[in-house]
Amino acid sequence: MGQGLWRVARNQQLQHQGYTGQSYLSREHGRRIAANNVSNTNHRKNAQGGIDIYHLLKTRKSKEQEGFINLEMLPPELSFTILSYLNATDLCLASCVWQDLANDELLWQGLCKSTWGHCSIYNKNPPLGFSFRKLYMQLDEGSLTFNANPEEGVNYFMSKGILDDSPKEIAKFIFCTRTLNWKKLRIYLDERRDVLDDLVTLHNFRNQFLPNALREFFKHIHAPEERGEYLETLITKFSHRFCACNPDLMRELGLSPDAVYVLCYSLILLSIDLTSPHVKNKMSKREFIRNTRRAAQNISEDFVGHLYDNIYLIGHVAA
């Protein structure tokens, strides 16, 4: 009797608080679902050092759906600026997506002139069907041919109308091109002294210190590995050109082309002496001044001392 009254009172209390058996189960079920969601969320956050993988994958998916920027939707000047940073290979790949933009003549003209600064065809009226993209391919093919056989490479350029059959035009092409193999170029210039003469005259050594001018000279016309007639020819031509570019300085210092020739040889020997690991006893400044003034007596001691300091601080003149 007492237990029955207790159950009736308990049921009334639960009904009054809204806890029927069905609602109690539904509430418990809701709590479990919420607890599971919190647990899963915490697990995602704890994974990978606290990064929320779910949001990361979601963001990545949204970016993949957006795709790359379409250059055709940008202003033309901005699109061309972006494509101008590409090399020839990448520009060809870009033409598969943006054909009209990547095949633009201005882009390929810039690539041609940045690699081959001078060609005779630049100053001519373009023939029918001319394109700078096609010209780039021909210039690249001709450079590879030159690096295998210089004479065949020059003949290829001439056959395509890229270069005129003129020593001056060939010299300008060599002077403004950096893709030619220097060893093959040295062989070619040794055989074509007429081209070498025009190439030397393209250098401007005005107001340059002698060792710095010699370095610039040997950047375009590489010195041979051994002493011989070709090296003597190069130094002779350099000496005359240096004096022609600096007449006032030569008059002030009392130097002649022969004296500059002696100084150039002294600088080359000093460069080898100071930079070679095989030379144990390096030449001192006093020894260099004494030896140089013995060969060229009219040169001042201070000037020769500055020459030594330049080699000692900067390095080889023909490296």
Side-chain angles (χ1 to χ4, degrees), residues 34-143:
N36 289 334
N37 290 337
V38 171
S39 177
N40 291 336
T41 302
N42 291 334
H43 177 71
R44 288 198 303 266
K45 289 183 178 181
N46 290 331
Q48 301 294 328
I51 299 175
D52 194 335
I53 302 298
Y54 173 76
H55 290 292
L56 182 63
L57 294 175
K58 185 177 180 181
T59 304
R60 180 180 177 182
K61 184 177 180 181
S62 63
K63 288 184 178 180
E64 291 177 350
Q65 291 175 350
E66 292 174 2
F68 293 102
I69 297 175
N70 188 358
L71 295 182
E72 294 179 347
M73 303 301 294
L74 299 176
E77 59 273 11
L78 182 57
S79 301
F80 289 136
T81 301
I82 295 173
L83 293 175
S84 66
Y85 288 97
L86 303 181
N87 56 30
T89 302
D90 293 337
L91 197 57
C92 287
L93 294 175
S95 65
C96 299
V97 182
W98 304 289
Q99 185 174 3
D100 294 336
L101 289 174
N103 288 331
D104 187 82
E105 283 291 278
L106 289 177
L107 291 174
W108 286 98
Q109 181 181 0
L111 283 175
C112 288
K113 292 188 175 182
S114 63
T115 309
W116 300 274
H118 176 83
C119 293
S120 304
I121 197 172
Y122 293 161
N123 302 318
K124 298 178 180 178
N125 292 326
L128 186 65
F130 172 83
S131 72
F132 277 100
R133 176 172 178 169
K134 180 181 178 181
L135 177 62
Y136 185 96
M137 305 304 174
Q138 292 175 342
L139 286 168
D140 188 56
E141 178 68 22
S143 297

